[in-house]
């Protein structure tokens, strides 16, 4: 059995053995932490930490993603209940989750069960999520918005980037992929694109998050251009739930 097949087999067990957990990465607005993005981790008993880019596609293909997604949402909201009320929690939605028939019911039941305000939840979706089903994607997003949940368009610029998505869907945030942020300072094309996307988003009444901000120079440039939210190793790496509370404590003192 090759590694891939081993991982496939073990992923089912991982759910039972509770080997999956979340880390949280801060998202910064001005001098405060606007919230955190929840990122899935798998601590495999033999292979150690398996990255989400490896196991999430397996979970998608094997039909495990709706179940993992519900667990992740529940855990993220439970942890975020302990944080300051102004902080949001961003949770990634996979295509399979988005396609599951009971998505909106399942999300609102989870929120109700935990007593977590929908206004503090941001769901991150990629354009490929919207490609899968064209008929009632807009209905689903509108129901989520009616519940009070905000929607972020993730990885903007790396997929199809059809502007029709921006015209037709009610996003609250556009997340510019780190592909454009990592070489901002050296690459004029990246700067032109990022500057344009910030203006475009603001013109449409959407806020912008830059991801993959690793240096102070990148952060300064983005702030000067009016980028609303910044996320990346420069501010903080993904961390365990326990570390979030001390991280918040340090920032509060600033
Ligand atoms: P993403 O949603 O675009 O998440 C951002 C990725 O960039 C994360 O990788 C994060 O750790 C990484 N990152 C953040 N700041 C920096 C930086 O300054 N420099 C660099 N080089 N990287 C940075 P991660 O945690 O490995 O996650 C990879 C992808 O896996 C995510 O991309 C997302 O597509 C998927 N993923 C992670 N957790 C979940 C989840 O709970 N559900 C779903 N459906 N997908 C998830
Ligand atoms: Ca994301
Ligand atoms: Ca992203
Ligand atoms: Ca990504």
């Amino acid at each position: 059995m090759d590694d891939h097949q081993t991982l496939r087999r073990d992923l089912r067990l991982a759910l039972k053995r509770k080997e999956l957990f979340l880390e949280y990465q801060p998202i910064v607005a001005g001098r405060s932490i606007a919230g955190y993005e929840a990122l899935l981790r798998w601590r495999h008993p033999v292979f150690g930490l398996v990255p989400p880019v490896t196991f999430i596609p397996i979970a998608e293909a094997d039909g495990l993603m709706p179940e993992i997604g519900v667990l992740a949402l529940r855990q993220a909201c439970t942890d975020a209940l302990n944080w300051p009320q102004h902080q949001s929690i961003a949770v990634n939605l996979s295509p399979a989750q988005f396609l599951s028939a009971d998505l909106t019911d399942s999300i609102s039941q989870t929120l109700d069960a935990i007593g977590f305000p929908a206004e503090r939840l941001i769901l991150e979706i990629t354009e490929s999520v919207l490609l899968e089903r064209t008929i009632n994607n807009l209905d689903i997003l509108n129901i989520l918005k009616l519940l009070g949940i905000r929607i972020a368009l993730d990885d903007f610029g790396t997929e199809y980037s059809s502007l029709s998505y921006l015209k037709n869907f009610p996003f609250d945030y556009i997340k510019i992929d780190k592909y454009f942020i990592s070489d901002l300072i050296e690459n004029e094309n990246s700067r032109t694109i990022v500057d344009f996307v910030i203006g475009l988003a603001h013109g449409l009444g959407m806020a912008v998050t830059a991801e993959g901000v690793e240096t102070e120079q990148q952060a300064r440039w983005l702030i000067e251009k009016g980028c609303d939210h910044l996320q990346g190793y420069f501010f903080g790496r993904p961390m365990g739930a326990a570390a979030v509370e001390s991280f918040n404590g340090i920032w509060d003192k600033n």
Side-chain angles (χ1 to χ4, degrees):
M1 197 152 58
D2 66 16
D3 282 358
H4 182 82
Q5 280 179 298
T6 310
L7 287 179
R8 271 188 72 177
R9 182 200 61 195
D10 291 355
L11 194 52
R12 290 179 186 278
L13 295 172
L15 273 167
K16 291 202 190 75
R17 295 181 185 150
K18 306 209 183 329
E19 290 165 4
L20 298 176
F21 63 101
L22 291 171
E23 285 191 331
Y24 298 99
Q25 186 178 33
I27 299 171
V28 168
R31 288 171 169 275
S32 68
I33 298 173
Y36 289 81
E37 178 178 1
L39 295 159
L40 265 174
R41 303 289 179 252
W42 178 13
R43 198 184 312 280
H44 188 280
V46 177
F47 299 122
L49 267 188
V50 182
V53 289
T54 305
F55 74 82
I56 288 175
I58 301 176
E60 283 273 301
D62 285 4
L64 296 171
M65 209 48 217
E67 186 182 349
I68 293 174
V70 170
L71 285 177
L73 178 68
R74 189 183 303 149
Q75 186 65 52
C77 294
T78 304
D79 288 337
L81 266 185
N82 300 316
W83 309 342
Q85 304 233 338
H86 71 270
Q87 290 184 347
S88 56
I89 179 72
V91 176
N92 292 284
L93 270 195
S94 76
Q97 264 179 287
F98 199 81
L99 282 174
S100 66
D102 66 342
L103 175 80
T104 53
D105 286 344
S106 145
I107 290 174
S108 64
Q109 278 164 19
T110 302
L111 293 175
D112 285 349
I114 300 165
F116 191 78
E119 292 71 21
R120 292 181 63 192
L121 177 63
I122 299 171
L123 294 173
E124 297 197 355
I125 61 173
T126 58
E127 289 160 70
S128 54
V129 166
L130 298 174
L131 257 194
E132 302 264 339
R133 179 172 55 185
T134 47
I135 304 160
N136 54 357
N137 285 340
L138 185 58
D139 295 342
I140 293 171
L141 291 187
N142 281 329
I143 293 170
L144 294 170
K145 302 253 330 179
L146 279 174
L147 291 170
I149 296 167
R150 284 167 289 165
I151 313 290
L153 180 60
D154 203 357
D155 294 350
F156 186 75
T158 58
E159 290 182 328
Y160 312 94
S161 295
S162 159
L163 294 178
S164 67
Y165 289 121
L166 294 185
K167 177 177 171 184
N168 294 322
F169 292 102
F171 303 113
D172 300 280
Y173 297 95
I174 293 178
K175 294 191 81 169
I176 306 179
D177 196 78
K178 55 180 175 282
Y179 179 68
F180 299 100
I181 307 298
S182 58
D183 64 357
L184 259 188
I185 303 303
E186 316 81 77
N187 190 321
E188 196 187 344
N189 288 348
S190 290
R191 286 199 299 279
T192 302
I193 291 167
V194 171
D195 198 9
F196 166 78
V197 174
I198 293 171
L200 177 66
H202 287 170
L204 294 165
M206 301 171 188
V208 183
T209 307
E211 61 177 32
V213 180
E214 293 188 351
T215 69
E216 185 176 352
Q217 251 187 318
Q218 291 164 352
R220 281 184 189 282
W221 188 88
L222 287 160
I223 291 165
E224 193 184 307
K225 292 294 175 185
C227 186
D228 306 275
H229 288 176
L230 307 180
Q231 179 181 5
Y233 296 165
F234 176 66
F235 298 99
R237 291 187 177 250
M239 61 189 99
V244 169
E245 287 168 50
S246 51
F247 195 84
N248 276 334
I250 295 165
W251 269 69
D252 280 346
K253 293 195 198 79
N254 285 340

